[in-house]
Amino acid sequence: MSRTQFAADADAAVADVADGATVLIGGFGAAGQPVELIDALLRQGAKDLTVVNNNAGNGDVGLAALLAADRVRKIVCSFPRQSDSWVFDELYRAGRIELELVPQGTLAERLRAAGAGIGAFYCPTGAGTPLAEGKETRVIDGREHLLEFPIHGDVALVKAHLADEFGNLVYRKTARNFGPVMAAAARTSVVQVSDVVPTGSLDPEDVVTPAIYVDRVVRVGVAA
């Protein structure tokens, strides 16, 4: 029997996110960003959040709106600045948000490590740069590596394309991005989908995130 719950709406899906939570938010820029869940979190009121995302918000919607409302204490990401990151830029220059910059591949692997139960791993990316400051190092095969630790989330907000009634997920093309590793890395994963289909109607070969990693699903009726 599936452990996945199906929420009535996005507000119900994020109702128990606590102040100070670490929230993993899927998306590569706008692609795969769970905007409806972020908007619900904005209405819900949780504050002092640590957010993990590839970016630091685009324009004035979604993650950027959460930042603009002063609800995020710290952001962990790979690309904090781009042409439309004016919300983050203003907050950072004013000292109103903390930034942990993580190379993109390292970010993905730190999330994957959390879901896989890996305690830590060595990675050469960032060695010899300011990103290495304060980190344990080790030379492996003649190359310096940094010791990196998993990123665990209290909650993951993920956008998938479809879920079946058991909670298995499929994604739509590159909108998948960080969704699967974030769903596995969080204590509670909350997933918005465009539709919920009968169990057995998804080809098992197409299922990317199995239901064991999915705690809540909400149908928002928007193509993922």
Side-chain angles (χ1 to χ4, degrees):
M1 185 174 181
S2 174
R3 57 190 285 276
T4 304
Q5 300 174 341
F6 290 83
D9 53 36
D11 293 291
V14 301
D16 60 353
V17 177
D19 292 350
T22 296
V23 183
L24 316 179
I25 299 180
F28 188 103
Q33 187 175 145
V35 175
E36 287 75 17
L37 287 176
I38 298 171
D39 288 347
L41 184 59
L42 192 58
R43 293 189 293 271
Q44 187 257 22
K47 59 183 184 298
D48 295 325
L49 302 173
T50 295
V51 167
V52 182
N53 183 260
N54 186 69
N55 303 84
N58 304 86
D60 297 295
V61 299
L63 178 55
L66 195 65
L67 268 62
D70 282 325
R71 305 282 280 284
V72 180
R73 177 186 64 82
K74 176 181 178 180
I75 189 156
V76 181
C77 70
S78 296
F79 292 94
R81 300 195 64 208
Q82 49 268 327
S83 61
D84 60 352
S85 63
W86 48 77
V87 173
F88 169 79
D89 291 355
E90 181 179 338
L91 291 171
Y92 187 72
R93 288 172 178 157
R96 291 163 54 196
I97 192 168
E98 182 182 346
L99 169 66
E100 180 181 342
L101 189 64
V102 183
Q104 190 176 73
T106 305
L107 180 65
E109 185 63 6
R110 288 178 66 188
L111 290 163
R112 191 195 70 82
I118 295 170
F121 61 93
Y122 283 99
C123 178
T125 307
T129 75
L131 296 180
E133 293 178 3
K135 294 185 177 181
E136 180 181 328
T137 63
R138 181 175 179 179
V139 176
I140 302 174
D141 289 335
R143 189 177 184 187
E144 187 177 31
H145 288 61
L146 308 179
L147 184 64
E148 301 284 357
F149 291 91
I151 297 176
H152 296 272
D154 296 304
V155 181
L157 304 183
V158 174
K159 182 178 183 179
H161 179 42
L162 300 174
D164 66 15
E165 292 171 341
F166 202 75
N168 300 303
L169 305 178
V170 298
Y171 299 83
R172 187 174 185 273
K173 302 180 180 180
T174 57
R176 174 195 307 192
N177 51 72
F178 288 89
V181 290
M182 286 185 169
R187 293 181 179 88
T188 301
S189 60
V190 183
V191 183
Q192 69 171 66
V193 296
S194 60
D195 202 3
V196 177
V197 299
T199 300
S201 59
L202 298 178
D203 186 335
E205 295 294 333
D206 294 334
V207 171
V208 177
T209 300
I212 194 172
Y213 294 121
V214 181
D215 295 289
R216 295 177 200 153
V217 171
V218 59
R219 183 183 182 276
V220 298
V222 176

